[in-house]
Amino acid sequence: MLFRQLMKCLKQTSFSLSDYNTKRNFFRAVQLQANIPGTFVGSLKSIVGDANVSTADAVRDQHGHDESHHEVHKPDVVVFAESLEHVCKVAKLCNDNKVPLIPFGSGTGLEGGVNALQGGVSLNMSKMNQVVKVNAEDFDCTVQPGVMRIALNAYLRDTGLWFPIDPGADASICGMCATSASGTNAVRYGTMKENVLNLQVVLPDGRVIETAGKGKRSRKTSAGYNLTNLFVGSEGTLGIITEATIKLYGIPEKTIAAVCHFDSVQEAVDTVVQIMQSGISMAKLEFLDDKAIEAFNKYSKFNMKVAHSLFLEFHGPALGLEDQFNTVKELITSNNGSGLQIATDEDERKRLWKARHEMIWACTALLPGSKPYSTDVCVPISTLPKVIVQTKKWIEEANIIGPIVGHVGDGNFHVFFPMMRGDKETYEKVQDLHFKMGFLAMEMNGTCTGEHGIGMGKRKLLEKELGPTGIEVMKEVKKCFDPNGIMNPGKVFF
Ligand SMILES: Cc1cc2c(cc1C)N(C[C@H](O)[C@H](O)[C@H](O)COP(=O)(O)OP(=O)(O)OC[C@H]1O[C@@H](n3cnc4c(N)ncnc43)[C@H](O)[C@@H]1O)c1[nH]c(=O)[nH]c(=O)c1N2
Ligand SMILES: CC(=O)C(=O)O
Ligand SMILES: [Mn+2]
């Protein structure tokens, strides 16, 4: 009887058997897919309510990928959590049934972090979207996982405070914690690693912890292991972040943005090294090579000189900002920089940085219909010129489209390869270049990933970077938090 029932509901389900190559998965899939009362899906509905559970193909597809080129892997079911209690009970149900569970923030990741490699449950956090508390006098706030970075800054506007970490996408703050995000402002304000004071996390077995201690929001702590920074960058593989307490900053009194151009990558990046060595606290220090400027002009309707360029921004009290600017101006000139233009007008600055934030789309627009294969490395600043020059040479030799854009103030830069799905030849070339960049960065005592995490795309590089013992210890840490291996399986390591 059971087998006939299983075969019958098998026909009703919309998954391909090839997705499930083990008996365990087969039965799980059938249970998951079928709406037989009292099954797993039925249990999910009893926790979060029917309206917050979907097995619709379109919804599963939407939750089976992020903004990257990685192939889609759909979850079996999508659950929308509305409360901490929902998250705890769904986690426990998945853990008891050994069903994969993938936290979903806003899907703007670039390493396939949300793709459901083994099916299971995608837990969409967007309905938990409250700013829990703003402590303006202490420069911090606590937010739920559905709060997005742009909405948070709109919410904060009247306080004179802002949250400066600015990945180009409008991402969820907790997704930014999970991927240890950064952006153009990191050179002055740091990355998520330096800006998270506490996290409320639901562990796979349903327990709740506050990583720095209940309600803790002190700027410093040396109370035990740094569990907060263990979850920052954990990419949904250890637990579900259900609240983040983050640092806030005063909105700068004065802001100056500037752009300049160079004939060679070497001169542009030498200027960066000298600016950083001068001790001036730049707010933004971005590099765009000539190919990136071409894409920039085309996509965002600018008509900048097509040359290797630096985009800079200064934040601070009006007094003294001009001096900082003049010092940098001398360094630019001494490295044969030209065409220095400044923008103090807010709208002009906003237009410039919006265009910079959209560079990944400007690059994919060079090949209509392509998806971004984004990679990046982060190296000690003094080695940056050598790494960028070498990377550019490899791109030219491979004869592929690969504009270079980067947060060079941090020693971090990207290559954004437009990738057509199915174009095996280009994929091989890009993959080869990606690994060469990563290995070169490691040789320079740097890392294969300054941003975006490991996800699906950089697992091999991480093995090389950490070595077998490093990977083994990471797996032991994961086993301690997630002994059944349900949290986002297949990410960070194989
Ligand atoms: C145009 C553009 C430009 C940029 C970027 C993207 C795009 C599209 N990014 C990448 C991306 O915005 C960044 O990785 C965000 O932190 C992803 O946040 P999401 O909420 O979208 O996470 P998303 O939903 O994509 O999930 C990402 C990972 O985090 C996990 N996760 C999400 N929410 C979680 C939670 N509540 N608890 C536990 N795990 C959770 C997921 O499981 C997954 O592994 C970026 N990045 C960057 O660092 N610097 C940059 O400059 C840019 N620029
Ligand atoms: C995509 C990304 O990380 C950037 O534009 O900097
Ligand atoms: Mn970036």
Side-chain angles (χ1 to χ4, degrees):
M1 169 53 181
L2 175 66
F3 191 73
R4 250 208 314 280
Q5 207 183 19
L6 284 179
M7 291 322 286
K8 188 168 141 262
C9 67
L10 200 61
K11 287 199 189 66
Q12 293 159 357
T13 54
S14 59
F15 72 106
S16 65
L17 261 183
S18 62
D19 288 357
Y20 299 89
N21 48 16
T22 63
K23 204 159 165 8
R24 184 177 68 137
N25 286 339
F26 170 83
F27 280 105
R28 188 178 71 214
V30 171
Q31 245 209 349
L32 270 173
Q33 285 289 333
N35 267 312
I36 310 167
T39 58
F40 184 83
V41 171
S43 309
L44 286 172
K45 289 182 173 177
S46 61
I47 295 171
V48 299
D50 290 14
N52 283 325
V53 177
S54 173
T55 52
D57 202 50
V59 178
R60 291 170 50 225
D61 185 80
Q62 190 207 359
H63 288 77
H65 67 90
D66 58 11
E67 293 290 11
S68 69
H69 70 284
H70 292 293
E71 68 280 3
V72 178
H73 288 267
K74 290 184 261 187
D76 297 288
V77 53
V78 179
V79 174
F80 294 84
E82 289 182 340
S83 67
L84 176 62
E85 191 198 353
H86 281 178
V87 177
C88 295
K89 288 185 173 170
V90 167
K92 189 166 180 339
L93 181 72
C94 290
N95 200 40
D96 294 348
N97 289 277
K98 296 194 175 46
V99 171
L101 176 61
I102 303 122
F104 187 95
S106 48
T108 70
L110 288 166
E111 282 302 344
V114 292
N115 302 27
L117 298 183
Q118 293 177 19
V121 174
S122 175
L123 185 61
N124 184 306
M125 310 299 285
S126 59
K127 289 188 173 179
M128 293 173 72
N129 58 7
Q130 296 307 304
V131 176
V132 176
K133 186 104 180 20
V134 175
N135 302 297
E137 65 292 352
D138 295 327
F139 296 88
D140 69 54
C141 71
T142 298
V143 298
Q144 289 192 323
V147 173
M148 309 291 279
R149 76 175 179 87
I150 291 178
L152 175 61
N153 279 324
Y155 183 93
L156 292 168
R157 201 184 320 283
D158 302 349
T159 63
L161 302 175
W162 69 313
F163 183 63
I165 315 307
D166 65 326
D170 183 15
S172 76
I173 297 288
C174 291
M176 287 168 59
C177 294
T179 58
S180 188
S182 71
T184 64
N185 284 317
V187 62
R188 181 182 176 111
Y189 300 97
T191 70
M192 288 309 280
K193 275 200 171 21
E194 293 78 34
N195 282 285
V196 178
L197 297 173
N198 202 350
L199 292 171
Q200 180 189 73
V201 175
V202 173
L203 299 177
D205 60 10
R207 286 179 298 162
V208 183
I209 59 164
E210 291 204 28
T211 54
K214 187 138 187 62
K216 176 82 96 23
R217 50 192 184 84
S218 57
R219 290 263 148 161
K220 288 161 73 171
T221 174
S222 58
Y225 294 175
N226 188 346
L227 294 180
T228 302
N229 264 2
L230 179 61
F231 281 91
V232 174
S234 57
E235 298 187 56
T237 62
L238 299 179
I240 306 111
I241 300 167
T242 45
E243 268 184 17
T245 300
I246 52 179
K247 290 181 188 173
L248 299 175
Y249 296 81
I251 294 174
E253 185 193 351
K254 186 167 172 61
T255 301
I256 302 173
V259 173
C260 59
H261 311 294
F262 296 83
D263 295 336
S264 75
V265 173
Q266 188 72 46
E267 288 165 325
V269 192
D270 284 347
T271 310
V272 170
V273 174
Q274 290 159 27
I275 293 173
M276 297 310 287
Q277 287 166 345
S278 73
I280 288 176
S281 159
M282 294 303 300
K284 300 177 194 252
L285 192 41
E286 296 287 305
F287 170 78
L288 287 83
D289 77 349
D290 50 350
K291 302 291 178 212
I293 294 291
E294 268 173 6
F296 177 90
N297 283 339
K298 220 165 135 198
Y299 186 79
S300 295
K301 311 277 179 281
F302 276 82
N303 62 350
M304 259 183 217
K305 181 183 167 198
V306 176
H308 309 309
S309 304
L310 290 183
F311 290 11
L312 312 96
E313 191 162 270
F314 302 77
H315 291 176
L319 188 71
L321 208 63
E322 298 285 337
D323 299 348
Q324 290 183 23
F325 172 73
N326 290 329
T327 310
V328 167
K329 191 170 158 189
E330 279 162 30
L331 291 172
I332 291 169
T333 319
S334 66
N335 285 288
N336 307 317
S338 63
L340 181 63
Q341 287 160 337
I342 66 169
T344 48
D345 164 76
E346 190 179 357
D347 289 344
E348 239 185 307
R349 284 191 285 108
K350 274 193 175 156
R351 183 169 170 251
L352 176 77
W353 294 113
K354 177 173 179 298
R356 161 58 193 92
H357 275 147
E358 292 174 351
M359 267 315 290
I360 201 164
W361 304 134
C363 295
T364 48
L366 296 172
L367 202 57
S370 65
K371 295 287 280 175
Y373 185 130
S374 150
T375 186
D376 76 301
V377 291
C378 192
V379 294
I381 194 108
S382 59
T383 68
L384 191 65
K386 174 179 166 129
V387 178
I388 293 187
V389 169
Q390 176 60 62
T391 300
K392 199 162 168 63
K393 211 157 142 269
W394 281 332
I395 295 167
E396 281 154 7
E397 285 162 4
N399 190 22
I400 46 180
I401 305 173
I404 296 181
V405 177
H407 319 289
V408 284
D410 310 320
N412 177 209
F413 71 91
H414 302 280
V415 185
F416 295 142
F417 300 102
M419 184 61 63
M420 294 305 280
R421 282 227 165 99
D423 176 354
K424 273 194 90 35
E425 195 207 337
T426 310
Y427 181 78
E428 301 298 325
K429 285 184 179 177
V430 167
Q431 190 80 334
D432 171 52
L433 215 154
H434 177 187
F435 277 88
K436 286 198 305 203
M437 277 174 71
F439 295 150
L440 176 59
M442 291 177 214
E443 233 179 274
M444 299 291 135
N445 307 110
T447 174
C448 67
T449 175
E451 292 184 335
H452 314 159
I454 298 290
M456 296 164 62
K458 295 193 172 176
R459 291 170 292 184
K460 267 229 150 311
L461 279 170
L462 185 69
E463 283 178 350
K464 174 101 172 93
E465 185 160 322
L466 285 190
T469 315
I471 294 290
E472 216 171 281
V473 168
M474 277 207 171
K475 286 185 174 173
E476 286 161 10
V477 168
K478 174 161 166 89
K479 210 147 178 57
C480 151
F481 287 94
D482 176 25
N484 292 337
I486 67 160
M487 291 308 303
N488 212 356
K491 305 295 166 52
V492 182
F493 31 69
F494 291 99

